[in-house]
Structure formats: structure tokens, C-alpha cells
Amino acid sequence: GVGGRLATVTVNKQQYESRGASIHALSLHMQDFVKILGLKHRREVAGKSAIFSGEHFVLEETDWYLLNLFRLWWHYGISFLRLQMWVEEVMEKFMRIYKYQAHGYAFSSLEELLRSLGGEAFVNMTQRSVAESLLEVGVTQRFVDDVIAAVLRSSYGQSVLVPAFAGAMSLAGAQGSTWAVEGGNKLVCSGLLKLTKANVIPARVTGISLHSSEGRALYQVHYESPEGQGSAFYDMVVVTTPLHPSRSNFTFENFDPPVADFPGAFQPSVTSVVHGYLNSSYFGFPDPKLFPFTSVLTTDTPDLFFHAMDNICPVNISAAFRRKQPQEAAVWRVLSPQPLDKHQLKTLFRSYYSVQVTEWQASPRYDAAKALPPVVLHENLFYLSGVEWLASSMEMIAVAAKNVALLAYNRWHQDLEKIDQKDLMHKVKTEL
């Protein structure tokens, strides 16, 4: 705690659960939380992936690691090695944030955070595309069109024109080092909320107004609940819902200069959970028993109406669990830009028992804005969700949350030596 009353304005329950159900990666912060909460790592279930062009598979995974490497080399030369080196270099620098935060350092802007990790090169990665960056280090255009495009379509529902930093985070998560919580990743959120013993007010925030008390800013949070309208005063407020015109539904009052909506939009995404029989013939396998893949990614082909699909497993996996055989009815998750119509469902499935559809604003549309949102909106009014414009994942949100907590603490106690410091790698080494 920082000594004052703290309010957090967050997204509504439906948005929170849909996001938690759709993101697989857990950061180092989140792994620490998992240990504290006594949660378990969900057992992995083996499965093979492939990339579909709309007419044929351009790349297929096998059970043999060396054969997979040979196929990558045969089709794309050493592009996959250059990709891996590029991603590892970015991630090695990004991992510095955990050392910085362990020593209590915080950053008042996203630009300062990036500079502390990778200098101006990291800042520039928010302004240029992942395709441009990869071509520059020797990755071929064919590899970008086939593999990089497929990964970004499955994670962000967008093209290889997304910024390089967001692309690097997505590609790092696609390398198989991520893991999930038994019972569902949402247990991390509910468990942390219970652990903090926070006073949760189940209401919709309608606005925040600025007041003052003894020369210090005081924030009045207005809200609506089934019991009616209410408000409360806080010394600090952390806003964790996107402040963009398409998402923000509350106002700021008495602020000078005013707190305005930020430019940009979010990428709509549709998740369809289908219980049915896969139409393997569409993918070139007339005999469904021979279809070997549990995950299908797609290239950026105009006629393709879905981004990716995978045979999903329960959030609790017993020792006796086995995947359904290809010819059996299974539960598939289909990611698409628009809701699937009956013809499209019939294209992917011979028949199906049920379809559950969730439409939501999954991540920022990265071509919609170039400027990064601020972290500090006012003296003790902080904004968490702007980090999604760097990259959208649980990893980034966990990092941003700890940064805001440290920033609030350091500003409250006027410990300016812990904010926006230069040459942090040297400082951290000398503190050891």
C-alpha cells in the first residue's frame, strides 16, 4: 500500500472473462502469482499444427523434430533461424524489466520503459512493421507471407503490418514456451482479487471528477449499480479499461487540461466454439481418419473466412484424457473476423451439435494510431491499458500493472530516484 485510498476502474466481467479465456501466455510475474495462489500447471496434450493457404497446406508439422527442421530449411532456407535469433534478442532485452521491477524502478511513460530495455531501437519498433524488421535481418518474403502472417492472424487477427514490437511478443508466444493454469487462466485473476482482500464494488463507473484536499488531488469516482447511483473519494485511481472512443463510456470532470479519448480503434474478433465433426475434405483429406492436425493456421488469403482453428481441450485435464480421433465429434475453436454463417460452418464441419459465439474487441488495431498513450493522466491518476498498444498479452498487462504500482508508490513517497532512471543495467548491477 502507498498510504492512501486506491480505486481501480476496470473492464466489465464479460470482457474480462473473454480476454482471460483467449490468452494462453503467462509471464514471470503471473507464474509467481500462480505459486502464491497454489494453482497448478495444466498438463499439455500433444498435437500437430499446419498452415493452410485456402487450397493446400504450405507447412505441416510432424512428430519428428529433425524432420520439422528439414522441412523448414527446405522451404525457407535459414529464415527460421534468423527469426529465432531476432526474437531471442528482443526477448533477452525485454526480460530486463523483471530485474528493474525487482529493485523497485518504475517508468512514467511507455517510451521511457522501452528506452530502458532496448534504447531508441525499441521505441522505433512501435513505428515500423514486423515485416519490415524481419526482411531487414534476412528473413525471406515467402517466410513472412506463409509463417509470420499465419501466427499474427491467429494471435491478433491482423497482418504482418503490425508494429515490430507487438509482432515479436506474438512470435515469442508461438514458440511453445507458454503454459496455462489448470482450471483456466481466469483463476489467476479471481485468486489475486481474493488474495488482496480488496473492497469490490460491483458497479459501472460513469465518471471521475477532480477535487482537492489540503493541496493534494482527490478523485471522486462516480458509479451506477442495481441499487442506484453512488460515488467515493480516493487518493489514487488506476484506470484499466481502454480510453478510446469505441470502448470508453465514462467521463472526466474538472481536469485542466482535460483528459481526452486517445486516437485508435480495437480489432473485432469472433470466437466460435463448435462441437461437431470436422470436414477434413475441405483441407484435402477425404478420409477423416487420416487428418493429423489439431491446430490449423491460415495465410493472408482474401478468400479465407477464418484466421485459425484448433481442437481445444478442457481446462481440467485428467491423466486418462485423450484427444478425440479425427473422425469423432470434437470441440473446435474457430477464430474469425466476422461471425460464421451456415455455409461457412458447413464448409468447416460435416455436421455439428452446437455453436457458441463470442464477439469482442480482442486487441488494438495497430494501424489505427501511431502515438502511444500516456501512463500518467494526472498527479495520482494512472492508466494501465495503454500498454496494449505496445503488445496485447497477459505478459504485458502484468508488467504494466507492476509498473503502475511501483510508480504510484514512488511518486507518493517522492522517491524520484526510482523513476525514469537512465543506465539501469549498471545501477542494478551495483545494487547487487
Side-chain angles (χ1 to χ4, degrees):
V2 294
R5 297 191 69 204
L6 172 68
T8 301
V9 180
T10 186
V11 294
N12 63 48
K13 186 171 184 289
Q14 181 180 3
Q15 290 172 322
Y16 212 54
E17 290 183 348
S18 62
R19 177 168 293 258
S22 301
I23 300 178
H24 191 71
L26 288 174
S27 70
L28 292 182
H29 287 326
M30 302 299 283
Q31 290 182 29
D32 289 339
F33 297 153
V34 166
K35 294 177 182 177
I36 293 172
L37 298 172
L39 301 176
K40 297 180 180 179
H41 176 200
R42 193 186 73 169
R43 188 170 66 88
E44 295 294 332
V45 181
K48 295 188 287 291
S49 301
I51 299 175
F52 186 60
S53 70
E55 296 181 353
H56 62 277
F57 286 110
V58 298
L59 189 64
E60 302 177 19
E61 187 180 15
T62 72
D63 291 322
W64 295 278
Y65 176 73
L66 291 179
L67 180 56
N68 292 333
L69 289 181
F70 176 77
R71 286 186 170 185
L72 282 169
W73 172 80
W74 182 259
H75 287 289
Y76 307 108
I78 62 171
S79 286
F80 69 97
L81 290 177
R82 287 173 171 159
L83 167 69
Q84 190 167 15
M85 292 172 62
W86 181 77
V87 171
E88 286 180 354
E89 181 182 357
V90 173
M91 292 306 298
E92 182 180 354
K93 293 178 179 178
F94 173 77
M95 296 292 279
R96 295 173 180 174
I97 190 62
Y98 298 110
K99 288 185 178 179
Y100 298 164
Q101 293 184 338
H103 287 260
Y105 289 103
F107 306 94
S108 61
S109 71
L110 297 176
E111 289 86 353
E112 284 298 322
L113 187 152
L114 289 174
R115 287 190 184 97
S116 75
L117 300 176
E120 290 300 324
F122 263 30
V123 177
N124 292 337
M125 287 179 69
T126 68
Q127 305 296 320
R128 60 194 313 223
S129 72
V130 64
E132 181 183 355
S133 296
L134 288 175
L135 291 173
E136 192 175 85
V137 297
V139 174
T140 65
Q141 185 68 55
R142 183 184 177 191
F143 189 80
V144 169
D145 292 340
D146 287 358
V147 180
I148 307 302
V151 172
L152 294 177
R153 281 167 63 86
S154 66
S155 57
Y156 291 135
Q158 298 175 65
S159 73
V160 295
L161 297 180
V162 304
F165 190 85
M169 292 296 152
S170 176
L171 292 165
Q175 292 184 347
S177 59
T178 59
W179 58 284
V181 171
E182 184 177 319
N185 288 345
K186 66 178 182 179
L187 294 181
V188 177
C189 303
S190 59
L192 286 172
L193 189 60
K194 183 178 180 180
L195 186 68
T196 60
K197 299 179 181 178
N199 177 32
V200 180
I201 302 175
R204 185 181 72 86
V205 173
T206 58
I208 301 171
S209 56
L210 175 63
H211 301 269
S212 62
S213 174
E214 300 178 354
R216 186 184 293 273
L218 199 62
Y219 305 98
Q220 185 177 13
V221 178
H222 305 269
Y223 55 85
E224 292 179 349
S225 68
E227 288 74 31
Q229 296 184 346
S231 68
F233 286 92
Y234 298 92
D235 297 294
M236 294 182 181
V237 175
V238 179
V239 180
T240 66
T241 187
L243 294 178
H244 293 79
S246 62
R247 300 289 299 276
S248 177
N249 56 3
F250 62 92
T251 59
F252 295 93
E253 300 176 358
N254 303 331
F255 287 88
D256 185 20
V259 179
D261 283 338
F262 305 119
F266 276 70
Q267 179 73 22
S269 181
V270 180
T271 301
S272 302
V273 178
V274 183
H275 180 205
Y277 296 89
L278 184 71
N279 180 19
S280 58
S281 295
Y282 173 65
F283 298 101
F285 287 80
D287 185 352
K289 294 181 180 179
L290 301 179
F291 188 80
F293 308 115
T294 58
S295 177
V296 177
L297 286 69
T298 61
T299 59
D300 195 359
T301 305
D303 293 337
L304 278 172
F305 54 88
F306 70 102
H307 291 147
M309 62 185 299
D310 58 323
N311 182 334
I312 58 177
C313 301
V315 293
N316 292 305
I317 300 178
S318 65
F321 176 83
R322 67 170 184 85
R323 287 189 185 273
K324 297 288 187 180
Q325 295 299 308
Q327 71 275 16
E328 297 178 310
V331 179
W332 290 82
R333 175 179 56 186
V334 184
L335 307 178
S336 60
Q338 304 292 335
L340 302 176
D341 58 32
K342 289 187 177 180
H343 173 72
Q344 292 167 338
L345 284 169
K346 284 293 185 181
T347 299
L348 295 177
F349 299 93
R350 289 182 288 123
S351 63
Y352 50 88
Y353 296 107
S354 64
V355 180
Q356 294 181 338
V357 180
T358 300
E359 299 182 50
W360 55 299
Q361 306 290 311
S363 59
R365 205 177 73 219
Y366 287 107
D367 62 353
K370 292 298 183 182
L372 296 174
V375 173
V376 181
L377 302 179
H378 192 257
E379 182 179 327
N380 288 310
L381 176 62
F382 305 98
Y383 182 41
L384 183 65
S385 296
V387 75
E388 288 196 275
W389 294 86
L390 291 182
S392 183
S393 69
M394 287 181 71
E395 178 107 23
M396 295 303 296
I397 290 295
V399 166
K402 188 158 187 177
N403 179 65
V404 164
L406 292 170
L407 182 62
Y409 182 90
N410 294 335
R411 285 169 68 101
W412 184 270
H413 292 287
Q414 293 296 300
D415 191 359
L416 303 183
E417 293 297 316
K418 291 290 187 178
I419 301 175
D420 295 337
Q421 290 297 303
K422 310 299 181 185
D423 195 20
L424 271 184
M425 280 301 294
H426 176 73
K427 289 181 182 293
V428 168
K429 287 178 181 179
T430 57
E431 289 178 12
L432 292 177

